[in-house]
Amino acid sequence: MSLIVRSQLGLAERLGVKAMDDCGPASLATCATYLGLPTSTRQAHKACAQAGRVDTPTGAEATTARELAKAGKILGLNARNVYNWSEASNQVKKGAALILNIQASVKCVPDHLRSKWQRDYWRKQPLATYGHYVVLVWENDGWVYACPTMQEGKPGRSATPAEVKVLRDSKGEAGFPTPPAMILVDRK
């Protein structure tokens, strides 16, 4: 198994505002593909709609953790919300994939993990932050990270335990309730 990015870039709404609100479905597609169930972002987007997500062409609607877990089941995966980092980490080290909600910012996403889209975005708005789903897996005795704003088909990138901790803690550091949304995804 190897972590390959399924990107949200092709689903950005073009009417009104250019909304980038499909990180949840893209992260789910990344997990499914990693687990041996090749899935496009569009297929995951459709599963999220069946799970109750409403997406309009002019707004930025987030996907809830509950919708992602339900959509994972629609795709034929075992997906569930977890609230304990130790449990999530242990399951990932046994082969599961984790969708983690972060508060993306220049402070929490190290330069080598940033996508081109993020680098361009933060160059224009260096203080901007946004809620964002990313994927973490364990490969070759180390963390591997994928961001849905990366290019489609690119491999995940290695992340250190310290970098993963900063990502995991980013919601709390930004003043949001903790723990962050975490969806554990595995094969049935």
Side-chain angles (χ1 to χ4, degrees):
M1 294 186 285
S2 184
L3 188 63
I4 301 297
V5 173
R6 294 294 175 241
S7 181
Q8 75 183 92
L9 296 177
L11 294 180
E13 285 87 349
R14 303 286 189 240
L15 304 173
V17 297
K18 185 175 179 182
M20 289 284 285
D21 63 356
D22 297 306
C23 57
S27 292
L28 181 59
T30 299
C31 289
T33 301
Y34 170 76
L35 294 167
L37 182 67
T39 304
S40 70
T41 300
R42 290 193 189 285
Q43 289 170 311
H45 193 275
K46 186 180 286 186
C48 287
Q50 292 170 348
R53 180 175 187 256
V54 177
D55 190 25
T56 64
T58 57
E61 301 87 12
T63 310
T64 67
R66 181 175 288 139
E67 290 165 347
L68 283 171
K70 189 174 179 184
K73 292 174 184 169
I74 290 168
L75 291 174
L77 298 164
N78 180 22
R80 63 187 174 91
N81 294 304
V82 293
Y83 304 94
N84 178 290
W85 175 254
S86 293
E87 176 188 0
S89 177
N90 288 337
Q91 290 302 310
V92 168
K93 289 176 181 178
K94 292 178 183 176
L98 181 68
I99 300 172
L100 175 67
N101 190 245
I102 66 170
Q103 193 63 26
S105 72
V106 293
K107 287 171 40 176
C108 85
V109 181
D111 192 56
H112 77 99
L113 295 182
R114 293 178 194 165
S115 68
K116 179 187 180 312
W117 183 90
Q118 287 173 321
R119 285 192 304 275
D120 291 345
Y121 180 74
W122 285 323
R123 191 175 305 114
K124 296 173 191 167
Q125 303 177 69
L127 301 178
T129 72
Y130 57 94
H132 191 49
Y133 285 109
V134 297
V135 175
L136 292 168
V137 300
W138 188 258
E139 291 181 346
N140 302 317
D141 294 320
W143 290 102
V144 179
Y145 166 92
C147 172
T149 65
M150 292 174 174
Q151 292 295 316
E152 178 78 22
K154 295 288 186 182
R157 298 176 184 170
S158 294
T160 67
E163 290 167 338
V164 169
K165 182 183 183 315
V166 170
L167 292 166
R168 180 199 72 198
D169 295 344
S170 64
K171 282 295 204 185
E173 291 294 321
F176 291 92
T178 57
M182 296 183 285
I183 303 92
L184 202 55
V185 185
D186 206 345
R187 290 300 297 257
K188 284 187 175 179

